[in-house]
Amino acid sequence: MAQAKKIALYLLLVFMLYTIVTSPTRAGEIVQIGFEGISSAAQAVGDFMTRLVN
């Protein structure tokens, strides 16, 4: 099982590097979308906690 995780991680890393090299603009957009999603999730948790306290 540990070997499968290593292989999956290696394949993910190779795919990420391939994407960055072949299409850096698109890779940047994907990273931006990811950070916006994380930011939105954190904002939603903050709103939930604020409403919970009030």
Side-chain angles (χ1 to χ4, degrees):
M1 191 63 159
Q3 188 69 16
K5 288 182 183 180
K6 286 182 183 180
I7 292 171
L9 183 60
Y10 177 73
L11 289 174
L12 180 64
L13 181 63
V14 169
F15 175 73
M16 288 173 49
L17 290 174
Y18 172 78
T19 303
I20 291 170
V21 169
T22 58
S23 181
T25 304
R26 179 69 180 140
E29 291 172 359
I30 291 170
V31 170
Q32 183 178 4
I33 289 168
F35 280 121
E36 288 175 359
I38 292 169
S39 175
S40 296
Q43 181 67 39
V45 169
D47 291 344
F48 173 74
M49 292 297 179
T50 299
R51 290 180 185 169
L52 192 62
V53 171
N54 289 335

